[in-house]
Each structure stands twice: as C-alpha cells, then as structure tokens.
Amino acid sequence: MALNIATGSTSHSAYDLRSTYGDAVERHTLAVIVDNEPGVLARVIGLFSGRGYNIESLTVAETDHAGHLSRITIVTAGTPQIIDQIEAQLGRIVAVRAVHDLTAEGPAVERELALLKVVATGDHRVEALRLADIFRAKAVDSTLESFVFEITGTPEKVDAFADLMRPLGLQEIARTGVAALSRGPRSA
C-alpha cells in the first residue's frame, strides 16, 4: 500500500517541507554598482541571456567619476527563487561592488523619461495637447503636422500616456528605461 502524501505535506513529518518561496512571478528593480571598465556591462547582460532571464528595462551611467563606478539599474521578473539566484550570480562577478534589490529592500522611487511623436491634425491635435496637459507632458517640438512630447514618471504612467496617444496618431516612442533610488536615508 502506497502512501498518497502530497508534495510538501506535513501530515507525517515534524518538519515543514513546504517551500518558503512562492511560485508567483514578481517584477523586481535591481541596482548594481560596478567598476566602470570595459566589458562589465557585457558580463552582466551575459549572465541574464545565458540563463534565459529577461530584462524589462536597463539603465547604465557612471555615478562616481573619481571612484570609476557605474550604476546599472535592471528591471526583471521572476519567481522569488529566480530573483535570489540572479542576485547571487551578479554578486559573483568580480567587477560588481554591490547588488541591491530595491523592490525587496523597501520603498523606492522609480522614474522613466520618454519621448513620443504624435502625428495629428484637427481635433486629434487638440486632444493630444489636452491629454499632455493632464499627464504633465511637455511639447518639446512642434510642426504643423506633429508634436514630440516629453513625459517623466513611473513606467505605468508612461504606458498609460502612450496608450491614450495611440488612437490620436502616436508614431514613435523612445524610452530611457527605469532610474530608481531607495527612499529614506539608506543608500543603494
């Protein structure tokens, strides 16, 4: 007679064998401080592509000229196990000085800048200007047939603005990717 005990069941064990991780895919923002030297970005990206992890957003810039340090902000998604694995593997890269999961460490501020070209005339042009005002987007270029709007905000705000501009004549969009900092006195 075989016992039919479900995986992780504790009915006949003094130990809780259930995983402490969930299976839900979560979006995480990682701040990676690296030495500013050739090939570091390629090694970081190679880690993601070699293991089949997706990068939703990537922003890189030098943040300490004297210390030759750069900050890579990566937005990715995965189960908690995958995110832990990504953090551990990033930490093993020699040029990586620190890895911070801004999502897990507490409140953070995330912003993205986008430029959107909208080709519109007549009522669509007026509506595009009205929506830009509501979203606090600036018209940074204007011709008789088009606008280029600049918008800054959360990725969700940029998405919402782009969704509303599509039926009005959205032709092109360029996005910077997410820049993020932890809130409060702690640094990441």
Side-chain angles (χ1 to χ4, degrees):
M1 178 174 143
L3 290 175
N4 289 329
I5 299 175
T7 304
S9 175
T10 59
S11 63
H12 298 299
S13 175
Y15 303 100
D16 185 0
L17 303 176
R18 292 173 291 185
S19 172
T20 57
Y21 293 110
D23 291 331
V25 173
E26 302 170 349
R27 180 182 171 273
H28 283 254
T29 302
L30 305 175
V32 185
I33 308 303
V34 299
D35 293 331
N36 187 14
E37 58 187 42
V40 173
L41 180 60
R43 288 195 296 273
V44 169
I45 300 311
L47 181 148
F48 279 80
S49 65
R51 290 160 180 79
Y53 304 145
N54 188 40
I55 295 175
E56 293 180 12
S57 174
L58 176 70
T59 308
V60 185
E62 183 177 57
T63 56
D64 182 355
H65 187 69
H68 302 289
L69 296 176
S70 290
R71 181 186 185 99
I72 303 173
T73 304
I74 302 168
V75 178
T76 190
T79 63
Q81 298 102 312
I82 298 281
I83 300 300
D84 287 348
Q85 193 173 39
I86 289 170
E87 284 184 71
Q89 290 168 350
L90 283 169
R92 287 190 206 109
I93 297 174
V94 173
V96 171
R97 299 283 186 95
V99 179
H100 299 278
D101 184 346
L102 298 178
T103 305
E105 291 178 7
V109 177
E110 291 186 1
R111 291 294 181 265
E112 184 173 10
L113 178 126
L115 297 174
L116 297 91
K117 183 187 287 184
V118 178
V119 176
T121 57
D123 289 343
H124 283 160
R125 190 172 174 86
V126 173
E127 182 66 7
L129 284 170
R130 188 183 73 74
L131 287 170
D133 186 50
I134 291 169
F135 277 82
R136 295 189 179 112
K138 294 190 294 187
V140 294
D141 183 60
S142 178
T143 68
L144 294 175
E145 298 88 25
S146 69
F147 290 109
V148 174
F149 293 108
E150 173 188 305
I151 186 168
T152 305
T154 63
E156 294 79 15
K157 177 182 177 181
V158 174
D159 289 341
F161 185 64
D163 289 344
L164 290 171
M165 288 296 168
R166 276 190 181 82
L168 301 177
L170 178 64
Q171 294 294 311
E172 274 184 87
I173 185 168
R175 297 174 80 149
T176 60
V178 173
L181 288 175
S182 59
R183 292 188 66 210
R186 64 184 174 80
S187 62

